[in-house]
Amino acid sequence: MKDKRWSLAGHSLQILKVFLLLAIAGGLLFIAFRGVRIATVVRDVGQANLFWVLGAALFSIAAFVSRAYRWSLLIEPLGYSPSLKNTTSSLMVGYLANLALPRLGELTRCGSLSKAESIPFIPLVGTVIAERVVDLISLFTCLLLLVIIEHNRFGTEFRSTILNPIIEPIASHKWLALLLAIGVAGVFVVYRHFQSKHKGAGSFWSKLVIDLVTGLRSITSLRRPWLFVFHSVLIWILYFLGMYCCFLALPYTARLGYRAALFALVVGGFGMSAPVQGGIGAYHLLVSRGLMLYGLSQQDGLAFATLVHSLQLLLVLVFGTASLIPLFLERRMSRRKN
């Protein structure tokens, strides 16, 4: 009876969390669209050049496949070789799950691939964490490139509007970075301890830690490291090309050039990382306000942000839903074999 009460309480908290994050996303959307005629934004988005929008969609799909292939490279050191079809389908289902609850997608895609390919779940989570670290490094590399390219253009305004809000929290909370480093070191120490003390069946928690760190360490034992680096770079090139196609799709962004596209990619990356469903609201606010530094009006910036975000949302909904079918069939075939 007590376990049932705890279970109900847990479900209630999850539902509350979903609605709370939706409320935050709604609040950010309200701030972003305040003072702007939504009908005009919708009209502008509807007048986008479909040729360039289609090009952006194709680059985005290519990036999804490249990301799925890179994930399979991380899984190889675990002793498994999942098919590209299943890794891509699991990735898209994960993106779909992120629309319900932020970061749920990481666990969902690991669970989907685990069932489809009979790969242990916890090591897969470790590979996804390693992948996210690489993504974070890539995003900050793009940010550094943007600073180098645009430092003369923005000067003080660029630093105060874009850089300081990112750098100051990190600089003022150095102890957090120290705690993170200690925590990571602690996990590896515990891992070594459990590995040496429990080489047999081991306890549940020792096995959990060992499996997780095994997935994390996959990035240090890649069978094809240069191919992993190639796809890590290719993913962001495809992101950039997709973003630039969206710039060309609207007349008032077509004239801004590749530097503004890189800026929107970086700022949009931080917006999509916000702890709200699908970056809703945060993406619109950051991208639209950021493009005002390039001379766009708030309304034009919102039209562009809405175009890019809506396109990504549509792709995730269509391909994420479609990916449920092959994963279901794969799981059914796997059960029959077993």
Side-chain angles (χ1 to χ4, degrees):
M1 191 71 179
K2 186 177 180 181
D3 291 339
K4 188 175 181 180
R5 285 200 300 268
W6 278 110
S7 178
L8 288 173
H11 287 305
S12 299
L13 285 174
Q14 288 297 323
I15 293 171
L16 181 63
K17 185 178 180 180
V18 170
F19 282 104
L20 177 62
L21 293 175
L22 280 175
I24 294 173
L28 291 172
L29 276 176
F30 174 77
I31 295 171
F33 281 87
R34 185 172 53 186
V36 174
R37 294 185 63 183
I38 297 177
T40 305
V41 172
V42 173
R43 183 200 65 196
D44 290 347
V45 172
Q47 293 176 349
N49 189 313
L50 291 180
F51 173 80
W52 293 114
V53 172
L54 179 60
L58 292 175
F59 282 125
S60 294
I61 294 168
F64 291 148
V65 176
S66 180
R67 178 175 284 276
Y69 186 77
R70 187 186 68 170
W71 188 26
S72 69
L73 294 175
L74 275 172
I75 297 171
E76 280 183 351
L78 302 179
Y80 300 91
S81 298
S83 67
L84 182 60
K85 180 190 72 173
N86 285 339
T87 50
T88 304
S89 297
S90 299
L91 178 74
M92 296 311 302
V93 170
Y95 283 142
L96 187 65
N98 276 335
L99 298 179
L101 192 65
R103 304 297 168 257
L104 177 63
E106 278 73 3
L107 298 177
T108 303
R109 67 158 154 155
C110 291
S112 299
L113 190 62
S114 176
K115 292 175 181 177
E117 294 277 353
S118 299
I119 303 173
F121 174 76
I122 299 300
L124 283 177
V125 175
T127 63
V128 170
I129 295 173
E131 183 189 64
R132 287 307 182 199
V133 171
V134 173
D135 287 339
L136 189 61
I137 293 171
S138 301
L139 180 58
F140 274 94
T141 300
C142 290
L143 176 61
L144 179 61
L145 179 62
L146 179 66
V147 172
I148 294 171
I149 292 174
E150 292 287 59
H151 73 281
N152 289 329
R153 181 185 184 94
F154 293 107
T156 305
E157 186 178 5
F158 179 75
R159 288 194 297 271
S160 62
T161 306
I162 303 299
L163 290 183
N164 289 345
I166 297 171
I167 294 173
E168 285 176 359
I170 299 173
S172 61
H173 295 88
K174 293 178 181 177
W175 58 273
L176 286 177
L178 179 62
L179 285 177
L180 179 61
I182 293 173
V184 171
V187 168
F188 276 94
V189 169
V190 173
Y191 165 72
R192 288 295 185 185
H193 172 75
F194 283 139
Q195 192 180 44
S196 61
K197 296 290 185 181
H198 302 278
K199 289 190 176 180
S203 66
F204 168 78
W205 291 109
S206 67
K207 188 176 185 306
L208 181 69
V209 172
I210 290 171
D211 286 349
L212 181 61
V213 177
T214 298
L216 278 167
R217 291 182 61 189
S218 64
I219 198 169
T220 65
S221 53
L222 292 167
R223 295 178 184 175
R224 294 174 286 177
W226 289 110
L227 194 56
F228 181 85
V229 173
F230 169 76
H231 278 278
S232 295
V233 175
L234 178 63
I235 289 167
W236 285 87
I237 291 175
L238 292 169
Y239 285 163
F240 172 78
L241 292 174
M243 181 67 72
Y244 194 65
C245 282
C246 287
F247 264 72
L248 296 176
L250 296 172
Y252 38 79
T253 51
R255 58 181 173 80
L256 296 182
Y258 75 92
R259 295 183 179 185
L262 178 61
F263 172 83
L265 177 65
V266 172
V267 175
F270 284 106
M272 293 301 290
S273 301
V276 292
Q277 289 89 336
I280 298 172
Y283 186 90
H284 299 79
L285 184 62
L286 287 176
V287 173
S288 62
R289 296 297 169 86
L291 288 178
M292 290 172 70
L293 296 174
Y294 283 84
L296 283 190
S297 65
Q298 182 184 358
Q299 181 170 297
D300 290 345
L302 274 172
F304 173 79
T306 302
L307 170 65
V308 178
H309 190 271
S310 299
L311 177 61
Q312 294 301 313
L313 184 63
L314 179 63
L315 290 174
V316 168
L317 287 172
V318 171
F319 288 99
T321 304
S323 296
L324 291 170
I325 300 172
L327 286 174
F328 172 76
L329 294 176
E330 192 75 29
R331 184 181 176 185
R332 192 172 180 179
M333 289 176 62
S334 178
R335 281 182 175 178
R336 285 181 177 178
K337 288 179 181 178
N338 292 333

